[in-house]
Amino acid sequence: MKKIEAIIRPEKFNIVRDALTELGYPGMTVTEVKGHGSQKGISEVWRGRRYRVDLLSKIKLEIVVKEEDVDKIVDTISTEAQTGSIGDGKIFVLNVENVYRIRTKEKDNTAI
Amino acid sequence: MKYVYNKFMIGIWLLLIIGLFVFGMGVVEAAGDPNGSNTYSDSIEGLKISINVVWTLIAAFLVFSMQSGFAFLGGFLRQKNMLNYLAHCFIDSTLGACVFYFFGFAVMFGGAKTYSGLDVGWSGLGWDGFMLLGDAYDVKTVMFWLFQMVFATKTVTIIAGAVAERMKFVPYVIYSCLMCGIIYPLYGHWVWGGGWLSTLPIGNGVVDFAGCAVVHTVGGIMALMGAWAVGPRKGKYNPDGSPNAIPGHNMTYVVVGCFILAFGWFGFNAGSTVAGTDLRISIIATNTFLAAAAGAAIMLFFTWKRQGFVDVSFVCNGALAGLVAITAPCAYVPPWSAIVIGVLAGLIMRGTVSLVEVKLKIDDPLGAVAVHGANGMWGMLAVGLFADGTYGINGLILGNGEQLLAQFIGTIVAFAYALAFGGAVFFGLKGTIGLRSSALEEEEGLDIAYHGTSCYPVEEGLFGAVGEQVIDVQAEKEQLSLLEEAISKDRTREKIYSEKLGRWVYGKAK
Ligand SMILES: Nc1ncnc2c1ncn2[C@@H]1O[C@H](COP(=O)(O)OP(=O)(O)OP(=O)(O)O)[C@@H](O)[C@H]1O
Ligand SMILES: [Mg+2]
């Protein structure tokens, strides 16, 4: 089992979710996060003065899936969330040791 | 900011101020009664005048407070566009007021002859009292100006709610000036400034006590045209045309806004006597409140029955609908009619919301068309139905149908007038400078896009460095236009029916 952690633009969240629903996925956790990549933020204006915003709003999706589903989900997210402009986000894929469903105490693949 | 400081702008401001100064010097000789010494006397008559002036001013202050009610209704909108909506409210009540001072007031009340300095005007157009100069520089005329100014700026703001979350800033400013300068005053002149509708030889002419037609029908129908021209918010309608709910961000604001509006409405309606010595004010204030209460109560039961729970947003809109509908009849009808008017107002509001959203497919986030447009018209007709003769107007309940006919004419004219002007202004702007925000601006929120900051800035701790910094503005712009292009393409994608979602979605071609 793998966990896909995708950090995407908030503007793209709805379209990514629609596409994932179409594809099918077991479940997801969504968090509003703040962060920056290599450019370290953008500038904004407050009362006529420009200042640098180091941390930008992003959406983090976490989806735990069976190993064989990883590729198509990663592919869908990366095509849908891409704009070609800096700050499109990243996808990390991590190993997951165990999964338990609390209601039934099922384990691993059946519990996803 | 850079525009305010640049030399060119300073020149313009100076010219304007000097011009006003010179112009003012020339006409300061011919004045009405600028310090009130000729108007006031130590007699009963003098005291009556004082009471009337004080009453009207207090009412004007109350009406002014309604602007904060409107501002709070922004709770119906999403957080990311709140500041833009507030900016609209603020522009209307400040820039709009200036325009009304320079131009609108003279168009509306020139020729009304009700106060000093309002002599020149015809039945179609007024032309006197510009800038409150000359004979209009008079305590009573200026009192009247203040009271009318707050009305004008309220009317302008009605539209802000209908076009919220998706309109460019510049066209809104242009619209706001046109509305305060000519659109609102012209129709207002016909009904309140001694124009042709008020002198119509049917019944008592068109009667609109505090502005069901002048303020609400005109405002509400302009709102319809504005919302139509600018198009629905992104995500409001699915590709198959079914509407989605776009929840607002703060219902506390909405409820507080309603209370403030209702409070201000006492001034709006009862102040329209322009006289504290006219004791009808107690009936007017009570009618006003009863209609609001009835409008809210009917929506309480209606939503409870229909939706299975009490929908607070509709209860609030029901109260506002009642307030709008009682605006014209408040002085002429008995309290029991206020209840009937309010109940029907609530239902009319609910029906119009569905009509506009589902049938016409026009996106009106605050329900301006349903609350103001539809109920402005209903209130006008209600005068012709329920006026009981105790305040000079005889309605159908006394067996007199003539007034109803006059009201009907006034309403139809207001409707057509606003449709025509609204169409001309909004589609005109759409065809020239454009009305609609770009897809990216709309997506990230108009607050950041137009005002440089969010309405609810993030906590301090999250900022790494606040202060001036060297930024490659050019590179930033390039990246932005790339993003702009990508986001605006999202809505032109292939439409795919999703079995799993049960609706149409925008998909990417495989
Ligand atoms: N190495 C990282 N570790 C953790 N989070 C990261 C990392 N890189 C990026 N992120 C997260 O992803 C978000 C978007 O990053 P971003 O797309 O700007 O990355 P980038 O490397 O700068 O690429 P680009 O050049 O396209 O901007 C950041 O706001 C941050 O939350
Ligand atoms: Mg980056």
Side-chain angles (χ1 to χ4, degrees):
Chain A
M1 294 158 298
K2 298 273 184 193
K3 172 155 114 174
I4 301 168
E5 231 179 73
I7 298 170
I8 61 170
R9 293 179 183 280
E11 295 95 319
K12 282 287 189 179
F13 173 64
N14 280 326
I15 227 156
V16 168
R17 190 176 47 177
D18 281 355
L20 286 176
T21 311
E22 196 45 38
L23 188 73
Y25 62 89
M28 74 162 78
T29 304
V30 180
T31 332
E32 290 178 47
V33 294
K34 299 208 172 270
H36 65 69
S38 47
Q39 295 82 10
K40 315 269 187 282
I42 56 155
S43 65
E44 278 186 15
V45 181
W46 175 254
R47 296 181 72 89
R49 199 166 286 277
R50 259 177 182 271
Y51 65 92
R52 210 164 167 87
V53 181
D54 287 12
L55 299 168
L56 302 178
S57 290
K58 300 281 166 188
I59 298 269
K60 182 167 84 172
L61 308 177
E62 290 167 90
I63 306 176
V64 175
V65 295
K66 294 186 192 127
E67 203 129 3
E68 64 263 30
D69 295 336
V70 171
D71 284 345
K72 59 181 192 205
I73 290 197
V74 167
D75 182 58
T76 303
I77 296 176
S78 54
T79 18
E80 295 293 338
Q82 191 184 53
T83 71
S85 171
I86 55 171
D88 272 355
K90 296 239 166 100
I91 301 177
F92 308 105
V93 180
L94 293 75
N95 282 321
V96 172
E97 285 197 0
N98 291 121
V99 178
Y100 301 93
R101 172 173 281 125
I102 295 179
R103 175 172 55 87
T104 54
K105 295 196 171 169
E106 284 160 288
K107 198 179 168 196
D108 295 342
N109 276 343
T110 53
I112 285 181
Chain B
M1 282 315 258
K2 71 170 186 266
Y3 297 109
V4 180
Y5 295 132
N6 103 18
K7 291 199 186 91
F8 176 71
M9 279 311 285
I10 291 183
I12 299 258
W13 287 120
L14 275 180
L15 267 181
L16 197 71
I17 291 165
I18 293 170
L20 279 177
F21 196 69
V22 172
F23 190 45
M25 298 251 287
V27 282
V28 86
E29 305 290 300
D33 179 17
N35 60 19
S37 55
N38 295 334
T39 307
Y40 180 78
S41 69
D42 278 337
S43 63
I44 297 288
E45 272 319 301
L47 287 177
K48 277 187 177 172
I49 291 171
S50 298
I51 289 173
N52 293 344
V53 170
V54 170
W55 170 248
T56 307
L57 287 179
I58 289 176
F61 306 155
L62 279 175
V63 178
F64 180 69
S65 79
M66 289 168 72
Q67 198 66 257
S68 45
F70 273 126
F72 271 120
L73 290 191
F76 272 130
L77 306 174
R78 284 166 297 176
Q79 190 166 326
K80 62 182 181 179
N81 301 312
M82 182 67 170
L83 186 58
N84 180 251
Y85 173 75
L86 296 177
H88 286 178
C89 292
F90 223 89
I91 286 170
D92 294 341
S93 43
T94 50
L95 180 66
C98 294
V99 174
F100 193 70
Y101 165 75
F102 282 112
F103 200 76
F105 182 67
V107 169
M108 192 153 169
F109 291 102
K113 301 194 177 69
T114 37
Y115 295 95
S116 154
L118 303 175
D119 302 320
V120 189
W122 309 274
S123 91
L125 176 74
W127 204 258
D128 203 6
F130 290 99
M131 297 165 64
L132 301 171
L133 290 168
D135 285 345
Y137 185 24
D138 175 280
V139 281
K140 283 171 83 178
T141 314
V142 174
M143 163 206 84
F144 190 59
W145 178 84
L146 189 75
F147 188 64
Q148 290 303 331
M149 178 276 290
V150 284
F151 272 59
T153 56
K154 292 302 101 42
T155 312
V156 184
T157 302
I158 291 172
I159 284 83
V163 299
E165 303 201 88
R166 60 204 193 278
M167 187 162 170
K168 284 207 278 193
F169 203 65
V170 176
Y172 189 85
V173 176
I174 296 175
Y175 145 76
S176 181
C177 293
L178 287 173
M179 187 74 174
C180 260
I182 185 78
I183 302 171
Y184 168 79
L186 188 59
Y187 183 81
H189 178 76
W190 297 352
V191 180
W192 287 350
W196 65 279
L197 284 174
S198 67
T199 54
L200 213 62
I202 306 170
N204 288 43
V206 177
V207 173
D208 185 2
F209 190 71
C212 265
V214 176
V215 173
H216 299 291
T217 308
V218 170
I221 303 303
M222 288 282 294
L224 179 75
M225 297 308 281
W228 184 24
V230 75
R233 286 168 291 174
K234 189 173 170 186
K236 175 68 196 179
Y237 293 99
N238 298 317
D240 64 348
S242 54
N244 294 315
I246 301 185
H249 80 286
N250 194 326
M251 283 305 289
T252 310
Y253 289 173
V254 172
V255 174
V256 172
C258 266
F259 275 128
I260 296 176
L261 278 166
F263 179 62
W265 229 289
F266 286 126
F268 202 94
N269 286 357
S272 289
T273 54
V274 214
T277 48
D278 181 344
L279 293 184
R280 189 75 178 181
I281 51 179
S282 70
I283 309 283
I284 299 174
T286 304
N287 282 348
T288 302
F289 190 77
L290 283 177
I298 190 69
M299 286 323 288
L300 178 117
F301 292 114
F302 185 86
T303 56
W304 205 342
K305 187 95 185 33
R306 278 277 292 267
Q307 292 165 223
F309 52 84
V310 177
D311 186 328
V312 179
S313 71
F314 274 130
V315 173
C316 286
N317 269 352
L320 296 181
L323 287 165
V324 168
I326 201 66
T327 297
C330 59
Y332 311 114
V333 302
W336 68 263
S337 320
I339 297 273
V340 178
I341 291 170
V343 164
L344 281 164
L347 297 174
I348 290 171
M349 181 275 299
R350 185 63 188 87
T352 313
V353 165
S354 299
L355 175 76
V356 171
E357 185 182 48
V358 183
K359 292 269 155 34
L360 300 179
K361 301 211 185 307
I362 293 175
D363 182 17
D364 175 8
L366 258 59
V369 181
V371 170
H372 298 276
N375 281 300
M377 294 194 269
W378 158 232
M380 283 300 280
L381 299 180
V383 175
L385 292 174
F386 296 110
D388 67 355
T390 54
Y391 202 67
I393 305 293
N394 300 321
L396 202 62
I397 54 166
L398 297 175
N400 183 342
E402 263 195 40
Q403 191 59 43
L404 185 59
L405 179 62
Q407 296 304 106
F408 184 71
I409 295 172
T411 312
I412 291 294
V413 171
F415 180 81
Y417 177 89
L419 218 57
F421 267 94
V425 168
F426 289 111
F427 283 98
L429 286 169
K430 186 177 184 178
T432 48
I433 58 175
L435 277 185
R436 185 63 181 241
S437 313
S438 79
L440 178 63
E441 286 165 349
E442 205 180 327
E443 197 58 70
E444 73 170 354
L446 305 186
D447 292 1
I448 298 270
Y450 297 159
H451 310 290
T453 181
S454 146
C455 194
Y456 306 92
V458 210
E459 319 83 82
E460 243 174 294
L462 279 177
F463 291 128
V466 180
E468 211 124 22
Q469 297 227 350
V470 189
I471 285 145
D472 187 347
V473 180
Q474 190 53 37
E476 213 171 74
K477 267 198 188 136
E478 273 165 27
Q479 288 297 324
L480 207 66
S481 65
L482 210 66
L483 185 57
E484 183 96 44
E485 203 189 314
I487 298 282
S488 61
K489 272 190 192 144
D490 281 352
R491 290 285 120 170
T492 55
R493 287 169 163 207
E494 197 184 341
K495 287 165 192 167
I496 301 168
Y497 188 78
S498 161
E499 293 289 343
K500 296 195 177 100
L501 283 167
R503 63 178 168 87
W504 290 79
V505 299
Y506 295 97
K508 209 163 206 173
K510 290 271 144 60

